[in-house]
Amino acid sequence: MPRMHLHDHSAGGRRPFRDFMKQRTLLLLSLGLAALLSGCAAPTTHRTKVDDALIEIEARKQREIAFDTMLSGRQRLTAIAHPLLKAAAPLCGEETHLSLGAVFTNKYLFAEEFRDIAVVKLGVGEPLQILQVIGGSAAQRAGLMAGDIIVSLNGQSVPTGEDALKRFADILEESLKEGAPARIRVVRGDDRLSFQATPERICSYAVMLGPGDEVNAYADGQRIVIAGGMLRFARSDNELALVVAHELAHNAMGHIKAKMQNYMLGSLLDILAAAAGVNTQGVFGNMAAQAYSQEFEAEADYVGLYIMARAGLETAGAANFWRRMAAIHPGSIGRNHAATHPATAERFLAIEKTVAEIENKKAAGLPLEPRYKADKKPGGDGP
Ligand SMILES: [Zn+2]
């Protein structure tokens, strides 16, 4: 039953009357709806009664399936992204850090709805433990395993509890040294073990499984977000790697920063126009933000393929993958990857040409470095 605010003093004049009319209309509508529902056709067979306790058990089973799906999706993405982040490190400038190639967790790092499941399935508790050892990483070569509980790093004891991971990240940051092996003590079952792992430099971008089910991916300068739909759309790990490498290239090549700068520059014109009494409604800012959009996409394709090749991954299927994306998601402007990554014939031909360029370099034993404009090589004299 809606409450009527007939004594509302906050608004003067005709407002209380209008509110009254609104409430009355609502009331009439809901009475109408009730009448309508009672006249609606109902199913004619009897509804199967189920036990409340069984509903509870089934609900738990379904949450467990959701948990498994989320976890395996994240782990797949992490395993695919890590070698790319490592291969791209020379392109990421200052935005790199040393990594052991393991994912650490404790029970607090799981959302509350999944925490009890994580405790049972993974045995997580207060201390940090290894959730995933990434294939080909320093941690794997050292012999660390998923489930190992981390006791100390280079003699420093590892924090436990709610903010353990954040504090451990600080310890990693100050304790890991380029080229120097780190000493890690763990508990595995009844054993206390010690390992030496030499950390590796990787790009610092977080690669995350995004919410929602869209076939989509984006980069924002710091993160690479892959939506759930893309995980299913990509037919193989290699195809998913193509998407991650493309987004990684956007970040590494500073496209998001460049777009922001262009936007600010354009906005300056809007501000100047406003000072002269003309309201441009931000049109210069928006135009400038779109400047070089196609060129940035082409560069993300180009550099992304080099990142793939440097990680030792096959690039031959690249053009076909993006073509398939374009065919399945032709028109939904602004909502999916295909829309923000336009599917022009030129794009596919450029990708195929890049693949050939990389193959030639491989055959000739040349370093797999993208070709830069004369004055733009990273670390060079260019601006
Ligand atoms: Zn892109």
Side-chain angles (χ1 to χ4, degrees):
M1 178 73 188
R3 275 177 57 206
M4 297 195 189
H5 297 279
L6 293 175
H7 306 285
D8 188 351
H9 297 286
S10 61
R14 295 168 53 81
R15 184 76 174 278
F17 177 69
R18 235 187 291 145
D19 280 355
F20 170 69
M21 289 305 286
K22 221 197 288 175
Q23 298 291 350
R24 211 177 65 131
T25 313
L26 270 178
L27 181 65
L28 287 175
L29 277 174
S30 49
L31 286 174
L33 185 65
L36 195 72
L37 284 176
S38 68
C40 278
T44 45
T45 61
H46 97 138
R47 180 171 172 184
T48 309
K49 288 260 189 312
V50 288
D51 193 308
D52 281 351
L54 291 176
I55 291 177
E56 191 51 47
I57 292 170
E58 178 59 27
R60 164 106 187 174
K61 267 186 205 158
Q62 294 189 10
R63 267 192 304 135
E64 283 179 7
I65 292 170
F67 177 83
D68 290 345
T69 308
M70 174 202 70
L71 198 63
S72 66
R74 275 195 204 168
Q75 296 197 340
R76 179 181 171 210
L77 194 55
T78 303
I80 288 167
H82 187 83
L84 296 168
L85 292 167
K86 193 173 117 186
L91 303 172
C92 289
E94 300 282 287
E95 291 163 346
T96 63
H97 67 270
L98 289 170
S99 162
L100 294 169
V103 180
F104 303 96
T105 195
N106 68 6
K107 68 174 183 178
Y108 298 106
L109 291 156
F110 291 92
E112 230 161 279
E113 57 173 326
F114 292 126
R115 199 168 290 164
D116 54 333
I117 296 174
V119 168
V120 174
K121 286 203 166 204
L122 306 169
V124 287
E126 299 284 331
L128 284 178
Q129 69 182 55
I130 296 181
L131 178 66
Q132 180 182 7
V133 173
I134 297 160
S137 70
Q140 194 197 40
R141 283 193 297 277
L144 288 157
M145 285 170 67
D148 287 351
I149 293 169
I150 311 295
V151 178
S152 71
L153 181 80
N154 286 342
Q156 282 198 70
S157 59
V158 169
T160 63
E162 253 179 274
D163 59 349
L165 187 64
K166 205 175 151 290
R167 285 160 60 207
F168 185 51
D170 293 340
I171 293 177
L172 283 168
E173 171 85 29
E174 65 190 49
S175 177
L176 297 183
K177 299 271 180 292
E178 195 98 55
R183 191 160 42 81
I184 305 146
R185 288 185 183 282
V186 308
V187 171
R188 183 184 295 168
D190 294 331
D191 301 326
R192 285 184 155 258
L193 305 168
S194 183
F195 297 92
Q196 302 250 13
T198 306
E200 294 170 312
R201 192 155 286 281
I202 66 168
C203 297
S204 292
Y205 313 122
V207 182
M208 308 163 78
L209 183 57
D213 206 36
E214 291 173 8
V215 180
N216 198 3
Y218 66 89
D220 67 1
Q222 258 98 51
R223 299 175 306 165
I224 293 161
V225 182
I226 310 288
M230 185 62 88
L231 249 59
R232 273 185 296 286
F233 181 77
R235 284 180 183 154
S236 63
D237 287 356
N238 189 274
E239 288 194 344
L240 197 55
L242 282 170
V243 179
V244 176
H246 175 99
E247 301 302 336
L248 175 48
H250 273 311
N251 280 351
M253 303 309 286
H255 291 169
I256 288 81
K257 255 180 253 156
K259 279 192 173 188
M260 293 269 287
Q261 278 170 9
N262 290 345
Y263 173 74
M264 309 257 270
L265 212 62
S267 296
L268 202 62
L269 290 182
D270 292 320
I271 292 165
L272 289 174
V278 181
N279 180 3
T280 57
Q281 299 188 326
V283 74
F284 287 116
N286 290 331
M287 262 169 60
Q290 292 308 313
Y292 297 111
S293 257
Q294 299 279 330
E295 285 83 352
F296 286 147
E297 287 312 322
E299 185 169 72
D301 283 340
Y302 180 71
V303 174
L305 286 169
Y306 268 93
I307 294 172
M308 289 282 287
R310 292 166 70 103
L313 296 171
E314 193 55 61
T315 52
N320 239 333
F321 171 75
W322 293 116
R323 193 178 283 131
R324 195 159 66 81
M325 275 285 297
I328 291 189
H329 303 277
S332 48
I333 304 290
R335 275 182 62 78
N336 65 48
H337 199 83
T340 47
H341 297 82
T344 61
E346 185 193 348
R347 183 179 186 203
F348 301 124
L349 295 173
I351 288 174
E352 278 173 350
K353 218 169 159 181
T354 304
V355 170
E357 178 182 307
I358 290 171
E359 287 308 314
N360 286 338
K361 282 188 185 172
K362 276 201 227 168
L366 292 168
L368 297 178
E369 272 180 33
R371 279 184 296 127
Y372 288 88
K373 292 176 185 166
D375 55 338
K376 300 283 185 187
K377 196 168 180 301
D381 299 320

